[in-house]
Amino acid sequence: MPTSTLFTPDEFRAGRIENYINLPTMYNPDRNNIVQELMEQPVPEPTEILLHKAPTPPSGNAILGLASYPKFKDGWMKLVGSLRTNGYEGHIIVGVHPEIPQDERDYLDKMGVTYYAVETVNCSKAILSGVSQTGNRVRAKCSRGLENLKLEWGRYEMARRWLRACDTCTGWSMVIDTRDIFFQQDPFASLGDADDARQDLMFVEEVAQYTNTLPDKLRAINIGASGRYKSLTIPCYGADLVAPQKIIDRPMLCSGTVIGNTNGIHRFLSVLVNEFHKNNGKGSIECMSPHTTDQWTMNYLYYRGDFGFPRQTKTLPWGTGPVLTVGKPCATKAFSEVTKKLEHVNSLKDMMVFDANGLILNPHEKKGSPTFIAPTLHQWDRCHKWIDPWFRKHKNLFSRENEPGVDWVREKLS
């Protein structure tokens, strides 16, 4: 496969988004068989306690994530409320705190959410190295039944098991971060029939130099140029395998909004979780969380072709499609006139585009596109100075007076 056909940003710049490709730098014809064997391995039953199983929704699509916070009412409204208010009628399957408050349970019940209790426990001794160096709970603790995977990694195994346990999750699925995600539309509405999809696994790109809407190169970053990517992968895999120079112009992929149909998302989860187990088994702290993280491992796997089936896999350019990741556009380093050096800033707004009603748009989609209004906003917490007032102004997008819940839940429970 000629190198020139692996990445075509010029097609995107010319407006031919449908011709854009961002394929792995390596192709191993035997990899498909290895991946298929991983996918055919038995999937264990969930180890988490099922607190509530929602009635079967009208759609077979699914949103899955871990949100085991002691209190998360505002988060539930922005996550679940925005999905239901804006027309999503599929499954929502989440992990919650074992002592979730009753008012939050009542809310999730009437909004048609299936939820499991995720009990946080100490990890097995074999993977405890380095936890004292992080204050991030998901990189220091595990869940009961998955003591060999820290929460940051274990959540993907939870999603894999929850999906397999869901007989009616037959459409599109998205495995998400839960704390910083919001929906303006049904995220799957533009994707068509999941069974007929040419690409069954889709990764969402963060803003790269080729999709940057501003001349300031600090406002975007390519994966091969990322110091964090290199510092958190090379110590484990080695410089020759990571080979950042080969992806110096490629986009960074987000691990918090991965989309696939039944086959594609199972492929993604099977490969990623297997890699986590392999890294934990190497006996090197450089291969374990918190020394490396889910996003960097996922990017490493993607660009080496380790998810297999490259022509069935697609990356979605920033500013297009079902997800708009706003973290880097809102938070970056900028030159300070006061200190005369680069300083970290957040809540920038100059890359955001709005319609007449104030809704946030995909900057590279044309009017009339089904994703002109960005269906999903991810990493909005980096934008808090302007997005908090935006949420207050657009509360109708996620909250209704005396929330009645969704019709199909009331009908099936009446």
Side-chain angles (χ1 to χ4, degrees), residues 250-262:
R250 300 296 193 96
M252 184 181 297
L253 309 179
C254 182
S255 60
T257 48
V258 179
I259 302 169
N261 66 10
T262 303

Side-chain angles (χ1 to χ4, degrees), residues 252-301:
M252 184 181 297
L253 309 179
C254 182
S255 60
T257 48
V258 179
I259 302 169
N261 66 10
T262 303
N263 183 77
I265 206 72
H266 180 60
R267 171 160 61 96
F268 162 68
L269 293 169
S270 298
V271 172
L272 188 64
V273 171
N274 179 68
E275 188 71 9
F276 292 154
H277 284 302
K278 285 170 58 179
N279 282 348
N280 278 341
K282 290 176 180 177
S284 169
I285 64 171
E286 304 296 349
C287 296
M288 301 178 188
S289 176
H291 297 279
T292 188
T293 68
D294 54 349
Q295 182 173 18
W296 310 124
T297 302
M298 186 194 81
N299 275 266
Y300 170 80
L301 293 174

Side-chain angles (χ1 to χ4, degrees), residues 159-196:
R160 190 172 80 105
R161 297 181 184 192
W162 296 342
L163 271 174
R164 185 52 57 95
C166 176
D167 294 337
T168 54
C169 293
T170 56
W172 292 106
S173 293
M174 187 192 301
V175 179
I176 63 166
D177 293 341
T178 57
R179 181 179 53 83
D180 56 358
I181 198 163
F182 183 82
F183 298 89
Q184 298 185 115
Q185 297 188 73
D186 181 338
F188 304 119
S190 66
L191 298 181
D193 190 332
D195 291 335
D196 297 333

Side-chain angles (χ1 to χ4, degrees), residues 58 90 116 133 147 149-150 153 161 172-173 177 227 236 242 253 283 295 344 379 385 406:
Y116 292 84
Q133 301 170 26
E147 290 86 356
L149 290 172
K150 288 174 187 151
W153 295 359
R161 297 181 184 192
W172 292 106
S173 293
D177 293 341
C236 176
V242 174
L253 309 179
Q295 182 173 18
H344 186 77
Q379 298 180 355
K385 290 180 183 177
V406 292

Side-chain angles (χ1 to χ4, degrees), residues 2 9 20 34 46 75 94 103 155 293 327 351 357 365 378 402 406:
Y20 168 79
I34 296 171
V94 293
D103 67 317
R155 61 187 175 136
T293 68
M351 291 180 75
N357 296 316
E365 292 284 5
H378 184 218
N402 299 317
V406 292

